[in-house]
Amino acid sequence: MPTSRYANFRTVLDTKTQKRRLETFPPISSADVRSPNDIVIELDQAQRIDAIAANYLGDGRYWWCICLLNDLTFPFGKSLKAGTLLRIPNNIDNFINAIQKRTS
């Protein structure tokens, strides 16, 4: 049976929100990095988060940015359903810079 590439990530309790998150996620809330320039989309079909990142951000490895911006704490193994509204960073470099400023 195949193993998820995320199976080895442990979950941690975020002391600010009292929610569990993957240890790879920065301990930042979506409100910390939202921008009025974010793109908001409504999915017209079921899609995986990495495919959405590849389509809108140019690289599927930016899936975690979409998760962070939308408070998706464990999106793996499921497709996001049609009708789901998602915020997507308008500029990935600015988004990552904002995260780095918050965590340093």
Side-chain angles (χ1 to χ4, degrees):
M1 174 190 273
T3 303
S4 168
R5 59 185 160 176
Y6 308 106
N8 294 326
F9 290 132
R10 59 188 190 105
T11 60
V12 295
L13 182 65
D14 188 322
T15 55
K16 267 175 84 176
T17 65
Q18 297 302 310
K19 292 183 180 179
R20 296 193 92 39
R21 62 177 174 80
L22 288 179
E23 67 182 337
T24 59
F25 277 34
I28 299 172
S29 74
S30 60
D32 292 334
V33 290
R34 282 195 176 154
S35 163
N37 298 324
D38 291 339
I39 301 164
V40 178
I41 63 165
E42 180 177 354
L43 300 181
D44 59 357
Q45 62 184 7
Q47 287 184 277
R48 289 187 357 224
I49 198 76
D50 59 332
I52 296 166
N55 187 39
Y56 284 90
L57 302 174
D59 191 327
R61 292 176 291 183
Y62 289 131
W63 59 267
W64 63 272
C65 297
I66 296 172
C67 290
L68 180 62
L69 196 53
N70 292 279
D71 293 321
L72 300 173
T73 56
F74 201 77
F76 312 111
K78 299 179 185 175
S79 292
L80 296 173
K81 298 185 183 336
T84 301
L85 291 176
L86 287 178
R87 294 178 75 94
I88 299 173
N90 185 41
N91 182 309
I92 193 63
D93 293 325
N94 290 345
F95 184 80
I96 291 173
N97 286 338
I99 291 170
Q100 290 172 336
K101 286 178 187 173
R102 295 264 183 206
T103 58
S104 56

